[in-house]
Amino acid sequence: KGWTMPTRRSVTWLVYLNDEWREEEGGALRCLPREEDELSGEVQVGSHQGNLQVGWLDKRHPVFLDCFSRPSGGAALYRLVNEGKESPRSQQQNGKASNQGGIIILSSHDFDVPGQPIDFTAFLAEEHRQSFEQISTSRLDPRFANKDNTNGGEVKKTTTAAVGEEKHALDIAPTGGTLVLFDSVTLPHRVKEVTGKRQRIAATGWFHEDSQFVLEL
């Protein structure tokens, strides 16, 4: 549905409303920002030719989801060869990764995008799975643990970077009166489990930006 809209979510804002929230109550927003030494030069993030960024490879290469140009009619995951520059799309030959046309196909095969929560690791070629970090980590979020999905309602455990040591994690406690703004397109993030007895309460919203690609139905 999002591809039919003229705008899309870009920057998320949160205002926490719980008074005297304690660290042991959990519920912190965990963000996984890029370190300066992980990025080299100009890197195109957020989207590429209308394809949304869904993760990072080796902590420095943006990974995009192509849902429009595959001959199979399915979707594929890819990264740019010359990041920061516009490049034509490549074609995947016989289900094998290729680097034609300035992009490298990372998925092992074309696939249909499932409903949330999505674990894109399952669609990556084996050699890329350990170094992939997904931006939307709803599959790790306890709020989605009982959501009906293709995984039978269970949160699927993976071994991607997003589930690993998270060395550069930044936790923001949901303390009342705290205002948080972050780029929800490029910043990997999740909400940690609430371990206290009360609910975590917040007002939230999004600043929108123009969609680079709009699907006409």
Side-chain angles (χ1 to χ4, degrees):
K1 182 178 178 181
W3 289 304
T4 67
M5 301 294 124
T7 63
R8 69 178 186 194
R9 297 176 184 177
S10 178
V11 175
T12 297
W13 62 264
L14 286 163
V15 178
Y16 292 116
L17 303 175
N18 292 100
D19 292 331
E20 299 179 356
W21 189 273
R22 301 183 305 276
E23 183 178 352
E24 56 267 26
E25 294 182 88
L29 172 67
R30 168 153 289 192
C31 299
L32 301 169
R34 306 298 91 190
E35 294 291 303
E36 289 186 6
D37 59 355
E38 293 174 343
L39 301 176
S40 57
E42 182 182 351
V43 178
Q44 181 170 344
V45 299
S47 67
H48 171 250
Q49 296 184 352
N51 296 321
L52 191 67
Q53 182 184 353
V54 297
W56 294 86
L57 191 70
D58 296 322
K59 296 185 179 294
R60 64 182 185 275
H61 301 297
V63 176
F64 303 95
L65 174 66
D66 184 355
C67 291
F68 304 109
S69 66
R70 308 301 298 163
S72 68
L77 299 168
Y78 71 92
R79 76 170 182 88
L80 301 180
V81 175
N82 298 314
E83 289 164 341
K85 299 179 181 179
E86 288 293 313
S87 60
R89 306 179 193 277
S90 73
Q91 299 296 322
Q92 190 174 13
Q93 301 295 332
N94 301 322
K96 297 180 180 179
S98 69
N99 60 357
Q100 301 175 14
I103 72 173
I104 298 176
I105 299 296
L106 305 174
S107 42
S108 58
H109 59 277
D110 288 2
F111 58 92
D112 293 328
V113 179
Q116 288 280 13
I118 304 171
D119 181 6
F120 284 113
T121 310
F123 305 109
L124 287 169
E126 184 68 32
E127 62 268 26
H128 300 307
R129 293 180 181 178
Q130 291 293 327
S131 56
F132 176 70
E133 182 178 3
Q134 188 165 317
I135 290 174
S136 173
T137 53
S138 59
R139 70 197 188 285
L140 310 177
D141 194 323
R143 295 174 299 170
F144 289 89
N146 297 320
K147 181 178 176 63
D148 292 335
N149 57 72
T150 55
N151 295 328
E154 297 180 356
V155 176
K156 183 178 179 181
K157 300 297 183 181
T158 66
T159 55
T160 66
V163 195
E165 297 179 4
E166 299 183 339
K167 295 180 180 178
H168 306 310
L170 174 65
D171 288 345
I172 297 95
T175 305
T178 302
L179 171 64
V180 182
L181 295 97
F182 63 94
D183 185 341
S184 51
V185 177
T186 62
L187 179 67
H189 60 279
R190 63 184 176 95
V191 177
K192 300 178 71 175
E193 183 177 6
V194 174
T195 53
K197 295 183 179 180
R198 55 175 172 164
Q199 292 183 332
R200 169 185 174 274
I201 303 175
T204 185
W206 298 271
F207 292 101
H208 281 229
E209 64 181 354
D210 291 338
S211 293
Q212 291 184 285
F213 182 93
V214 178
L215 179 64
E216 296 182 1
L217 298 178

